[in-house]
Amino acid sequence: MTFPTTRLRRLRYHPAVRNLIRATTLSPSNLVLPLFVRPGSGVRKEIASMPGHFQMSPDVFAEEVRQVARLGLGGILLFGIPAEKDACGSDAMSDQGIIPQAVRIAKEVAPQLLVITDVCFCEYTSHGHCGALSRVGGRIDLDNDTTLTMLGHQAAAHARAGADIVAPSGMIDGMVGAIRRRLDAIGYHHVPILSYAAKYASSFYGPFREAAESAPQFGDRRSYQMDPASDPGQALREIELDLAEGADMIMVKPALAYLDIICQVRERFPGVPLAAYNVSGEFSMVKAAARLGWLDERAVAMETLLAIRRAGASIILTYWAKDVVAWLKG
Ligand code: PBG
């Protein structure tokens, strides 16, 4: 049937019909809010490029968790800025490190709130790379296999503190398997791994590196994070490998410029919980344009998040998580 018998606008005249046939939904329970914790007390330092987001000391963080727990979000994702950084990121592996401290606080204040921890070394190393460095083929580069042992220690410290899910984000070969073995060895076989399986070397992480004070002091992350121009099949291979190593959930990151990847992953791996990270740069550019009066923040944010869901992600990590709860309420 074609026009005039078929008129697709019939589906659009009445707002209630549009409502009825909606297929993509956004719910607070699918959203995860990233939070940044640093040592000290009374610290609530706004991140200049991410208005409304703060580096918080443990006491301020406790209050934030108390409030966030009432919103019905899927969970929080924790990033830490340690008191001291060193070449091997010691704070990251310590049970007294900033993240284990934060996890214990969150679990005490709001035991029912899901706590996910980012497992990576870039916030903790003096050089800002995502693990240990060594000379690889005449160049200083990330030492893959030494880093695996370190990641095992870091994930173990997070699990012992009470983390509900650990999320390795370093794109280190073998990271999921190494963490799974370590967690199993210490009796934490029930803690799932959300792998940042297809993570691209993206300029959209710029504001985050200010937030987490994690910019590399030299070089870049292109020898471990994926090349945006690489064949999409490489993302599928990364995911296949992570699943084989025991990943329980997978992530594509960033989200907006990689909706095609999200879509392909959804089709290729049905049944695997798929997350997408709506990263700092995606948030900051809308905030900036909204401040200039050039975009409507709420409308653009909701459209963005819907698009990420429509592409196939069930879970979205987003700096708008709290706003969405308010916006959905009307
Ligand atoms: C690495 C990590 C990064 C982000 C999350 N985990 C930064 C990076 O890879 O350089 C970026 C998140 C964002 O931009 O919002 N620990």
Side-chain angles (χ1 to χ4, degrees), residues 51 283-294:
F283 172 82
S284 297
M285 60 188 186
V286 175
K287 277 279 182 195
R291 283 196 163 183
L292 288 168
W294 292 354

Side-chain angles (χ1 to χ4, degrees), residues 26 30-32 275-276 278 305-306 308-309 313-318:
L26 262 185
N30 300 126
L31 304 179
V32 173
N278 174 216
L305 296 170
L306 264 185
I308 298 168
R309 291 271 295 165
S314 48
I315 306 159
I316 307 177
L317 300 97
T318 177

Side-chain angles (χ1 to χ4, degrees), residues 79 118 120 122-123 169 196 199 204-205 208-209 221 225 253 277 279-280 319:
F79 294 100
D118 186 84
C120 188
C122 57
E123 294 113 86
S169 67
Y196 288 66
K199 175 172 174 180
F204 285 98
Y205 307 150
F208 173 91
R209 291 180 186 171
R221 305 208 201 291
Q225 299 179 350
K253 179 186 171 189
Y277 202 139
V279 301
S280 57
Y319 300 97

Side-chain angles (χ1 to χ4, degrees), residues 9-292:
R9 285 190 62 209
R10 265 185 220 121
L11 299 172
R12 298 179 202 138
Y13 285 115
H14 198 306
V17 173
R18 295 200 296 270
N19 250 335
L20 176 73
I21 64 173
R22 234 165 235 165
T24 306
T25 55
L26 262 185
S27 138
S29 64
N30 300 126
L31 304 179
V32 173
L33 174 70
L35 294 173
F36 301 91
V37 192
R38 66 169 312 141
S41 76
V43 182
R44 189 166 184 270
K45 187 177 164 209
E46 188 159 31
I47 298 150
S49 53
M50 301 175 71
H53 289 271
F54 302 84
Q55 292 182 347
M56 291 169 281
S57 54
D59 53 331
V60 175
F61 169 74
E63 191 43 46
E64 173 76 7
V65 168
R66 202 166 281 128
Q67 289 174 19
V68 168
R70 298 194 200 107
L71 302 178
L73 291 176
I76 54 175
L77 170 66
L78 303 186
F79 294 100
I81 299 107
E84 271 173 52
K85 303 189 187 221
D86 58 26
C88 66
S90 308
D91 189 272
M93 295 179 279
S94 160
D95 286 308
Q96 308 319 319
I98 185 70
I99 287 297
Q101 276 181 55
V103 172
R104 285 189 291 266
I105 290 171
K107 284 290 139 192
E108 197 182 303
V109 173
Q112 75 291 359
L113 179 65
L114 186 88
V115 175
I116 308 174
T117 57
D118 186 84
V119 177
C120 188
F121 279 83
C122 57
E123 294 113 86
Y124 307 91
T125 51
S126 41
H127 43 72
H129 282 282
C130 300
L133 296 180
S134 70
R135 196 163 279 282
V136 184
R139 234 175 288 136
I140 299 290
D141 206 331
L142 199 80
D143 183 326
N144 198 87
D145 298 9
T146 304
T147 303
L148 291 180
T149 313
M150 293 158 54
L151 288 168
H153 292 312
Q154 184 182 20
H158 294 181
R160 279 192 293 266
D164 298 303
I165 297 177
V166 294
S169 67
M171 291 302 285
I172 314 298
D173 285 331
M175 65 183 185
V176 172
I179 290 171
R180 186 71 274 157
R181 283 190 293 278
R182 188 78 211 121
L183 291 180
D184 289 355
I186 62 166
Y188 288 85
H189 51 80
H190 58 286
V191 173
I193 298 176
L194 163 60
S195 178
Y196 288 66
K199 175 172 174 180
Y200 288 85
S202 171
S203 300
F204 285 98
Y205 307 150
F208 173 91
R209 291 180 186 171
E210 178 203 333
E213 301 180 11
S214 65
Q217 297 305 299
F218 64 90
D220 52 49
R221 305 208 201 291
R222 284 185 286 190
S223 84
Y224 35 108
Q225 299 179 350
M226 294 173 67
D227 180 355
S230 59
D231 187 311
Q234 199 183 116
L236 302 177
R237 292 184 70 194
E238 284 284 358
I239 286 163
E240 211 158 36
L241 286 169
D242 281 8
L243 290 172
E245 288 175 29
D248 301 280
M249 312 175 201
I250 51 183
M251 194 196 300
V252 172
K253 179 186 171 189
L256 262 195
Y258 299 86
L259 293 176
D260 58 325
I261 304 294
I262 295 174
C263 188
Q264 290 188 42
V265 170
R266 173 76 296 149
E267 272 176 23
R268 179 71 175 274
F269 301 98
V272 179
L274 173 58
Y277 202 139
N278 174 216
V279 301
S280 57
E282 299 171 0
F283 172 82
S284 297
M285 60 188 186
V286 175
K287 277 279 182 195
R291 283 196 163 183
L292 288 168

